[in-house]
Amino acid sequence: MQEENLYDLGIKAQNGDEISLIKIINKKRKMIEKFSYGDEDRYQYIVERLIIGIKNYKF
């Protein structure tokens, strides 16, 4: 199975594919954990902003 790149996943996520959105979050999980500094609220905020950013991005 070939790994999908973020661009293709982003286009699918904008079109309503929730699995693609989850795959994007999983790919960025280490970075999100790093910048949340162990704070669960900050982690959820970053994920929320990532989802909003994906939905509003012009591909």
Side-chain angles (χ1 to χ4, degrees), residues 2-45:
Q2 185 179 2
E3 185 174 332
E4 297 174 293
N5 61 22
L6 287 176
Y7 180 79
D8 293 334
L9 290 173
I11 291 174
K12 289 179 184 178
Q14 270 191 341
N15 293 327
D17 186 14
E18 293 179 8
I19 301 298
S20 295
L21 194 57
I22 292 170
K23 286 181 182 179
I24 292 171
I25 293 170
N26 283 337
K27 283 181 178 262
K28 297 298 180 181
R29 183 169 308 281
K30 290 288 187 187
M31 185 180 70
I32 295 169
E33 288 174 355
K34 178 181 176 184
F35 288 107
S36 66
Y37 304 108
D39 185 9
E40 182 65 29
D41 291 334
R42 192 176 290 170
Y43 181 87
Q44 290 178 3
Y45 178 77

